[in-house]
Amino acid sequence: MLCPSCAGENTTQIQIRLKSEESVRFFSCRTCEHKWWKYEGESIALDDVLSLTAEKQPART
Ligand SMILES: [Zn+2]
C-alpha cells in the first residue's frame, strides 16, 4: 500500500475486525506520519470508523 500523502512504501497496516466478516484497515505511513482508514476497499474518515465500531456495541434503550 502506497501512502496517499507522500507515495512512500514504508507503511504499516492493521486490520481491525468489526463483525464476523467485516473489518476496517488502519494504515499509517512511517515516512510522513500520515494515517488513513479503509473499509471494504474504500477510504473512510475516522468519524466513519467510529460509527462503524459503535454499531457493534449493544444498543442502549
Ligand atoms: Zn507518507
Side-chain angles (χ1 to χ4, degrees):
M1 175 60 67
L2 289 178
C3 171
S5 182
C6 73
E9 294 183 8
N10 195 5
T11 56
T12 8
Q13 176 182 152
I14 299 169
Q15 185 163 330
I16 300 166
R17 180 164 288 191
L18 296 177
K19 298 171 192 168
S20 55
E21 295 178 14
E22 294 183 6
S23 62
V24 291
R25 285 164 199 255
F26 170 73
F27 298 89
S28 70
C29 175
R30 292 181 186 174
T31 306
C32 71
E33 310 247 313
H34 183 67
K35 295 176 175 62
W36 69 103
W37 296 83
K38 278 187 177 248
Y39 173 65
E40 295 187 341
E42 305 277 330
S43 294
I44 61 171
L46 179 59
D47 284 350
D48 299 324
V49 176
L50 294 177
S51 58
L52 284 169
T53 53
E55 281 177 16
K56 73 174 181 181
Q57 291 169 8
R60 285 184 228 158
T61 49

